Amino acid sequence: MTVTTPTTETPAGVIPLPAAGARLTTLVGAVATFASTWLAWTWTDEFPGNLTVTGYPGGLQLLTLVGSLLVLAFTLSTQGVRGLRWLTPGGRNSAVRLLALGVFATTAFTVIAIAVELGGLANLEPGGWIALVASLILALGALGLPADVPAGEDPPANAWQKFVHSLKAPTAREAKELPSWAELLIIAGSFGLGLYAFTYGIDAEDGSPFLGYVIFIAFLAPAIGRAGLTKQLARLTGKHKNVTATAAFVAAFAFPFTQSSDQYASLGTNILIFATVALGLNVVVGLAGLLDLGYVAFLGVGAYTAALVSGAPSSPIGTTFPFWAAVLTGALASLVFGVVIGAPTLRLRGDYLAIVTLGFGEIFRIAMQNMDGTSGPDLTNGPNGIPSIPELEIFGFNFGEPHTILGVELGRFSNYFLLMLLFTAVVVMVFRRADQSRIGRAWVAIREDETAARAMGINGFRLKLLAFALGATLAGFAGTIQAHVTYTVTPTQYKFVEAVPPNSAFLLAAVILGGMGTVTGPLIGASLLYLIPNKLQFLADYQLFIFGVALILLMRFRPEGLIADRRKQLEFKETGQLDVPKGEEPGLTKVGV
């Protein structure tokens, strides 16, 4: 693999004067911004994070501090400083530019938030003004850096074109082969950093601290991708799949042990439920290409079934199954509903199938609401649902009581988090096996072109029904845990659109946002779509607007999703395979001997 280098008219080893000035400005701005985080930004500790202490950064100052250090390291890496070259294996100045803009955006947001929440710019200390000016100098210096332009392309004409160019795929660069132990260490360290970043975000206070965190991550993630680190990590994880799965499971397992209280462990538990259901929907939408808008109903089937057979006082069945039997019963009920609904409807395609599945979701909700003994049979207590679902107890381990594990006391939600993590691992294993099997390849063929798949001898209806049934079963599995976590199962939890996920609309958005047909994509998409609305409840009136804007930007700059498989990347990105070579006329290629 050859290294793609930016074009330049200056001799090799000579840095153009404007580029040298921009690089020096970037370095000075990074150092000044780093120093400003050690000063007080406001005089009162009423602003979250206590930004009043000189010599001790806190709150959003930590994000500015980390960002400025990363800009400094990335800038030195682009200059070939020994020991830092590995930071930019794929990209060059574009990664610095994105990081610098992220530092400025985070710092400017913090200054504005201080002024708005505390009642004016008078609440800013000199350190806040120094941080704003220093981060502005940093951003201006980074925007002046030359763009990374492959040979044969025209350079961007202005700063906006440079920014848009920074969001494109990084240039190719040959990776240096590392020892196996070093690769395994990198994988473990990456998941450790991911756990720390997730824990920092989930522990951030609602409002300004979390919104600043989102802004910072929104610039940091593409900057890391542009630098080429994401591509390098993907290569390592693809090479060591078993180690990657183990590291991911260990990192997730360690999450409850990082929490001092059970408050945010409940968020983690609900995120896992949402993510597991989204992964089940990914079988239907991502692999088989079936647009299902009523998928949340299968989650409800599993939840209602578990509530009816788990010994709830208001259950008319009046029986108590052991945990494993309740789980299997809920999954079996969802499987039956999947087959019953799918058999007569899967002969439809596209929008017609979407309308039918949407109708099924509404029929389920209305049916559960009417089974109150008056409008229908007395089975679900109507709109009141089934409350007081007892806690799970497995081999004498009561999930509703605190337990001490490895010297750390885990509360109720931490216990359910670990149980749900085990369920998620099972669903991931099922998805991976199905995706890599002959049936999985047949699903992809149906998704790409069902007519061509039928012509090749694939029984489209039977395989689509199998995908529908498998997806419903996985949702039923998650529903059995959700019933015990939430204590109560009501029809309003399973609408098409609801303020709090999971619901059909957000499940579908999680699959598309994360990346259809992948394992990690729906998990990441579901985590974002559940965490962000819960942490930004003060923006309740504008959440759908912000969500719509985010989707538009995603479709513009990342139509294949955050984590895309190779097929989607080839589908949405231009490969240039059919381009006519420059300087050649269309026709046969000349071959020289």
Side-chain angles (χ1 to χ4, degrees):
M1 183 182 298
T2 58
V3 179
T4 305
T5 56
T7 57
T8 176
E9 297 180 357
T10 57
V14 179
I15 302 176
L17 185 59
R23 193 163 291 115
L24 179 61
T25 303
T26 303
L27 292 173
V28 172
V31 173
T33 304
F34 171 79
S36 68
T37 60
W38 299 87
L39 304 175
W41 288 11
T42 182
W43 61 273
T44 174
D45 59 0
E46 293 182 7
F47 188 80
N50 191 9
L51 311 184
T52 65
V53 182
T54 300
Y56 190 83
L60 291 173
Q61 287 176 321
L62 294 175
L63 299 180
T64 300
L65 184 148
V66 172
S68 60
L69 287 179
L70 288 176
V71 171
L72 186 63
F74 272 55
T75 304
L76 296 176
S77 174
T78 59
Q79 295 305 296
V81 175
R82 187 177 299 276
L84 294 176
R85 298 175 184 175
W86 58 273
L87 281 173
T88 55
R92 296 173 67 84
N93 295 327
S94 52
V96 179
R97 188 175 301 113
L98 285 171
L99 272 174
L101 291 175
V103 172
F104 172 69
T106 305
T107 306
F109 168 79
T110 305
V111 171
I112 294 173
I114 292 174
V116 172
E117 294 187 18
L118 299 183
L121 294 175
N123 294 283
L124 286 171
E125 287 288 299
W129 292 107
I130 294 174
L132 181 62
V133 174
S135 61
L136 177 61
I137 294 174
L138 171 62
L140 293 177
L143 288 175
L145 295 174
D148 305 329
V149 184
E153 292 188 10
D154 296 330
N158 50 51
W160 169 250
Q161 291 185 7
K162 285 184 180 181
F163 173 71
V164 173
H165 182 80
S166 300
L167 300 178
K168 297 181 180 180
T171 55
R173 190 172 180 178
E174 187 175 359
K176 182 179 179 181
E177 198 69 24
L178 297 174
S180 297
W181 64 267
E183 294 179 345
L184 299 182
L185 189 62
I186 291 174
I187 293 174
S190 299
F191 279 100
L193 290 175
L195 173 64
Y196 178 79
F198 178 77
T199 302
Y200 183 92
I202 206 171
D203 289 343
E205 298 183 49
D206 298 355
S208 300
F210 182 77
L211 192 55
Y213 169 79
V214 171
I215 294 173
F216 181 74
I217 294 298
F219 283 91
L220 176 63
I224 292 176
R226 181 60 190 171
L229 292 175
T230 304
K231 192 172 183 180
Q232 293 283 54
L233 182 60
R235 182 182 65 85
L236 296 180
T237 54
K239 182 179 179 181
H240 305 281
K241 293 183 178 180
N242 293 332
V243 175
T244 300
T246 303
F249 182 83
V250 170
F253 179 83
F255 169 72
F257 298 92
T258 65
Q259 303 299 303
S260 57
S261 67
D262 218 30
Q263 177 184 2
Y264 294 125
S266 62
L267 270 179
T269 304
N270 288 309
I271 286 174
L272 279 183
I273 294 174
F274 190 22
T276 303
V277 181
L279 195 58
L281 179 60
N282 198 26
V283 175
V284 181
V285 178
L287 295 183
L290 306 174
L291 185 56
D292 188 351
L293 297 182
Y295 186 75
V296 75
F298 298 121
L299 175 69
V301 171
Y304 265 99
T305 303
L308 290 172
V309 302
S310 295
S314 57
S315 172
I317 296 181
T319 184
T320 303
F321 285 7
F323 168 68
W324 63 269
V327 171
L328 293 180
T329 303
L332 181 62
S334 297
L335 170 63
V336 171
F337 270 84
V339 173
V340 170
I341 299 301
T345 61
L346 287 178
R347 299 187 187 279
L348 301 174
R349 299 188 187 182
D351 299 338
Y352 302 100
L353 177 62
I355 294 173
V356 171
T357 55
L358 176 61
F360 163 66
E362 290 300 298
I363 289 172
F364 169 79
R365 180 181 61 83
I366 295 173
M368 296 300 103
Q369 189 169 338
N370 290 337
M371 290 183 182
D372 56 357
T374 302
S375 302
D378 186 10
L379 186 62
T380 64
N381 294 323
N384 295 324
I386 303 177
S388 303
I389 300 174
E391 301 285 1
L392 283 176
E393 187 171 345
I394 305 175
F395 301 117
F397 186 93
N398 192 316
F399 284 81
E401 299 176 355
H403 297 274
T404 301
I405 300 178
L406 301 178
V408 178
E409 183 176 339
L410 300 180
R412 175 180 183 271
F413 287 108
S414 296
N415 297 331
Y416 279 109
F417 177 89
L418 296 178
L419 177 63
M420 196 61 218
L421 179 62
L422 180 61
F423 270 68
T424 304
V426 172
V427 173
V428 168
M429 182 183 66
V430 171
F431 181 87
R432 288 183 60 184
R433 295 295 183 183
D435 182 25
Q436 298 171 4
S437 67
R438 177 176 58 87
I439 295 176
R441 292 192 294 271
W443 283 338
V444 173
I446 293 173
R447 181 192 69 190
E448 296 300 321
D449 193 327
E450 185 174 351
T451 303
R454 289 177 181 272
M456 297 300 294
I458 295 176
N459 190 328
F461 173 76
R462 185 175 64 183
L463 288 172
K464 287 194 295 183
L465 183 60
L466 179 61
F468 213 72
L470 178 59
T473 304
L474 297 180
F477 267 116
T480 59
I481 303 296
Q482 187 202 34
H484 293 277
V485 171
T486 59
Y487 285 124
T488 303
V489 178
T490 59
T492 56
Q493 293 175 311
Y494 307 105
K495 293 182 178 180
F496 173 71
V497 177
E498 180 65 18
V500 179
N503 55 68
S504 294
F506 271 75
L507 285 171
L508 184 61
V511 174
I512 297 175
L513 170 68
M516 293 190 298
T518 63
V519 175
T520 55
L523 299 179
I524 294 177
S527 300
L528 293 176
L529 290 182
Y530 193 93
L531 179 62
I532 293 177
N534 275 274
K535 302 293 285 188
L536 299 179
Q537 293 184 3
F538 69 99
L539 295 175
D541 296 336
Y542 304 98
Q543 280 188 6
L544 288 180
F545 171 75
I546 297 174
F547 177 67
V549 172
L551 284 182
I552 292 174
L553 294 176
L554 180 70
M555 293 300 102
R556 170 61 181 86
F557 296 110
R558 191 75 179 180
E560 68 273 22
L562 297 177
I563 307 295
D565 60 4
R566 184 171 179 80
R567 184 185 299 273
K568 288 297 180 183
Q569 289 178 338
L570 294 176
E571 180 179 347
F572 287 101
K573 302 295 183 181
E574 296 180 2
T575 61
Q577 294 179 358
L578 301 180
D579 293 346
V580 178
K582 295 183 181 297
E584 296 285 348
E585 295 294 333
L588 297 177
T589 303
K590 299 179 182 179
V591 180
V593 179

